[in-house]
Amino acid sequence: MIPYRYISFFLSTFFIFHDSASRAIPPLAMIGGMVKKNCSDPLDHGDFCWSDQLQANFLGVFYYGYCLQMLSTYLAARAGFNTCVRLALFVCAVIQLTTPIMISFSPVLAIVVQGCRGFVSGLFITMNFECARKWGLNNEGKFVISFCGMMNYFGTGAGPFIAGLLAESVGWVYAYYLSGGVFLVVFLIQCALVPDDPVDARFMSSKERGMFVEKKQREDLEPANKTTISLKSLFQRRFLYCFSIYQICRNFLYYSVLTMLPFYLNEMFGKDTEFLAFYSLAMCLSLAFSAFIWGSILPCVDQRMSWFKSRIFILTVPMIIRGACFAVIPFIKSIEGCIALLVLHNVMEATVYSGGLMTVSFELDPAHSKVVVGVHNGVGQTAGFIAPLVSAAFTSVDETRPDYWEVRGRRWRNFLLLNSGVATVAVASVFVAVAWRRSEWRKHPSLCFESKEEEDKVKETENGIVIKNVAAGCC
């Protein structure tokens, strides 16, 4: 029989998959008939005539709300996380289902509401950490987080294809209707099957329920394991500032690969839109499968070195390799070589969910990881706005210049080398975090064992319920 807690694991990661896929609807809907390509032509098949500025606002406003997830997460942690996530699912369902109507009624209203959707969507990734803490037994939490990364990347790759297919075959409005319908169904399932307290779950076996009862009893004995957190104590965590810098740098490279490098491949190698569509899908799939692979490799790494060395290694070495890839790409003259380096870059990027920043945030303090992640991930999302602006500033060239392509190539090279420097800043932030307050860098006691003998011991109750299992040491 499949453990009941896997229902919660699946739903918390499916939120992320569907939300990531839904973000692809606005641009694909615009291309598929929502907005006229030529407003002066009455025969153009687009439904609405929007200016470039209006289109840009509609596309970008989600992320303005999304980067405020540090606020939405903190409020949810104070008010009740599960209740707020259910509310977020319902809000997303209503917004997606009514967006076509709002667009025809008032584009400005539609833009404001999409920003609200971004704000509540900030709860979905952090919900994964609350799920890992509350529903995970023994060492399951970090695997839930790895699966979160995999679903995030899968959604980013699958979304454009699903939305594009619907927009071309049955109309752009149905992409919104499908997205809203799925949000609504998931909301109902979440309300019916996932209670606030795992002990209260219906249809759970007595054996599994007993495991959660034992877990709850252990947590009640730990006064430091409170699930609420004050702003004062939050900002006293010095590693949080360094993690925020790391997250900005990490996302700067991530968004460069997904959003800016297609322009580079188009200009330097003449690759068309069809090729770039498959490029985007391939990049996201490489991220998704790499997150799964790293999640499988991590236990082996933990067995061969201390927790501290393992996490520092995974935070720094993959980032160094990512920076090296960016440094080499401008000197590669073949598209095959560039793609190979970008895939290698993505393999290293996937460590952020498997042993990297997200996993470390959970392991340092499971009870408060949802808020910590909400802060540094929210701050890090600003890289989504910064990367395009920096790219434009570095690569912009007057098209009338006779040496346009020569200068353009040189400026692209400078932008790619800048990414390499950004990776160096990320690595430096990790060592600053360690040097600043080494005492903060310890795996939380609830996730490790006090001795090797205890690690190897599997204690069972009279019902045969496993209380503790084999796991990695603390440091």
Side-chain angles (χ1 to χ4, degrees):
M1 182 178 178
I2 298 176
Y4 191 89
R5 61 189 180 276
Y6 286 11
I7 296 175
S8 180
F9 293 164
F10 173 77
L11 285 175
S12 70
T13 51
F14 185 80
F15 300 162
I16 298 164
F17 169 83
H18 185 57
D19 184 62
S20 299
S22 296
R23 298 176 202 176
I25 293 177
L28 269 296
M30 288 178 178
I31 296 171
M34 186 178 112
V35 178
K36 293 182 178 181
K37 298 179 179 67
N38 184 0
C39 290
S40 63
D41 183 359
L43 298 179
D44 191 289
H45 296 296
D47 292 340
F48 304 104
C49 184
W50 283 6
S51 65
D52 290 342
Q53 185 62 48
L54 193 61
Q55 293 187 60
N57 289 335
F58 188 73
L59 290 173
V61 70
F62 173 91
Y63 295 96
Y64 285 102
Y66 191 67
C67 74
L68 294 175
Q69 64 184 254
M70 67 283 286
L71 177 60
S72 62
T73 301
Y74 178 76
L75 294 175
R78 304 294 295 184
F81 215 86
N82 281 13
T83 300
C84 290
V85 168
R86 291 170 189 156
L87 177 62
L89 287 168
F90 182 75
V91 169
C92 287
V94 172
I95 289 176
Q96 293 297 83
L97 289 171
T98 59
T99 291
I101 299 173
M102 282 189 287
I103 289 173
S104 60
F105 175 73
S106 172
V108 175
L109 176 61
I111 289 172
V112 172
V113 170
Q114 288 299 313
C116 294
R117 190 176 85 81
F119 180 75
V120 299
S121 292
L123 294 177
F124 295 144
I125 281 185
T126 51
M127 170 60 186
N128 194 259
F129 287 79
E130 174 69 351
C131 173
R133 180 197 69 83
K134 185 181 290 186
W135 288 84
L137 295 173
N138 302 320
N139 214 24
E140 292 176 335
K142 62 185 179 183
F143 293 105
V144 176
I145 295 168
S146 295
F147 195 53
C148 159
M150 191 170 81
M151 296 292 269
N152 181 33
Y153 297 135
F154 267 134
T156 304
F161 280 84
I162 296 172
L165 178 64
L166 290 171
E168 290 293 331
S169 59
V170 295
W172 64 270
V173 297
Y174 291 97
Y176 284 101
Y177 292 154
L178 176 63
S179 172
V182 172
F183 271 123
L184 185 59
V185 170
V186 174
F187 160 74
L188 296 174
I189 294 175
Q190 177 78 3
C191 291
L193 298 181
V194 183
D196 290 341
D197 190 336
V199 176
D200 298 330
R202 293 182 293 174
F203 315 118
M204 181 184 286
S205 68
S206 58
K207 177 178 179 180
E208 189 175 11
R209 194 184 308 278
M211 297 166 73
F212 282 110
V213 169
E214 293 287 348
K215 177 182 178 181
K216 187 174 182 179
Q217 291 173 349
R218 292 197 305 273
E219 290 177 346
D220 289 343
L221 296 176
E222 299 177 13
N225 196 30
K226 297 178 181 179
T227 57
T228 57
I229 185 172
S230 67
L231 284 176
K232 181 179 179 181
S233 63
L234 175 66
F235 290 108
Q236 286 176 342
R237 297 159 188 258
R238 296 181 180 180
F239 67 83
L240 180 61
Y241 299 96
C242 296
F243 280 11
S244 296
I245 295 173
Y246 186 97
Q247 188 74 287
I248 292 174
C249 296
R250 168 250 164 180
N251 276 339
F252 191 94
L253 273 62
Y254 172 73
Y255 285 118
S256 291
V257 169
L258 289 184
T259 63
M260 307 317 302
L261 266 295
F263 293 96
Y264 176 79
L265 299 178
N266 174 255
E267 294 183 13
M268 298 297 111
F269 298 98
K271 294 303 177 181
D272 58 16
T273 305
E274 182 180 3
F275 175 89
L276 296 175
F278 281 99
Y279 158 84
S280 298
L281 178 62
M283 289 297 105
C284 292
L285 291 179
S286 68
L287 284 164
F289 285 115
S290 296
F292 172 76
I293 292 171
W294 278 107
S296 303
I297 292 175
L298 186 60
C300 300
V301 176
D302 285 344
Q303 290 177 4
R304 286 164 174 76
M305 62 178 70
S306 69
W307 175 86
F308 175 74
K309 292 180 180 178
S310 170
R311 296 303 178 266
I312 296 299
F313 175 86
I314 292 179
L315 280 170
T316 57
V317 174
M319 187 62 73
I320 293 172
I321 295 174
R322 293 174 67 189
C325 289
F326 271 101
V328 174
I329 285 174
F331 303 101
I332 298 295
K333 302 303 181 183
S334 68
I335 184 68
E336 294 80 10
C338 286
I339 294 296
L341 286 171
L342 290 172
V343 170
L344 175 60
H345 169 278
N346 283 3
V347 171
M348 298 297 108
E349 150 69 13
T351 61
V352 72
Y353 283 97
S354 304
L357 186 61
M358 299 297 197
T359 305
V360 170
S361 299
F362 176 75
E363 291 175 328
L364 289 175
D365 191 351
H368 304 133
S369 60
K370 55 184 179 293
V371 180
V372 172
V373 171
V375 171
H376 69 63
N377 194 46
V379 172
Q381 291 303 320
T382 60
F385 320 132
I386 297 172
L389 294 175
V390 173
S391 174
F394 265 73
T395 63
S396 179
V397 182
D398 184 358
E399 294 182 1
T400 62
R401 292 185 56 159
D403 58 348
Y404 171 80
W405 287 110
E406 179 183 350
V407 176
R408 182 76 164 175
R410 186 165 61 249
R411 293 191 176 181
W412 267 115
R413 181 193 63 195
N414 294 339
F415 173 71
L416 294 170
L417 293 176
L418 171 69
N419 276 265
S420 182
V422 169
T424 303
V425 174
V427 172
S429 71
V430 175
F431 289 110
V432 169
V434 174
W436 200 356
R437 193 168 180 180
R438 170 66 179 86
S439 60
E440 289 184 334
W441 284 79
R442 295 189 65 83
K443 191 175 183 181
H444 195 271
S446 65
L447 300 177
C448 54
F449 297 95
E450 297 176 356
S451 65
K452 180 65 177 176
E453 291 73 19
E454 186 179 2
E455 175 181 342
D456 295 333
K457 182 180 180 181
V458 179
K459 182 180 178 182
E460 297 184 359
T461 67
E462 58 184 3
N463 295 324
I465 302 169
V466 176
I467 303 302
K468 289 189 176 181
N469 206 339
V470 176
C474 291
C475 292

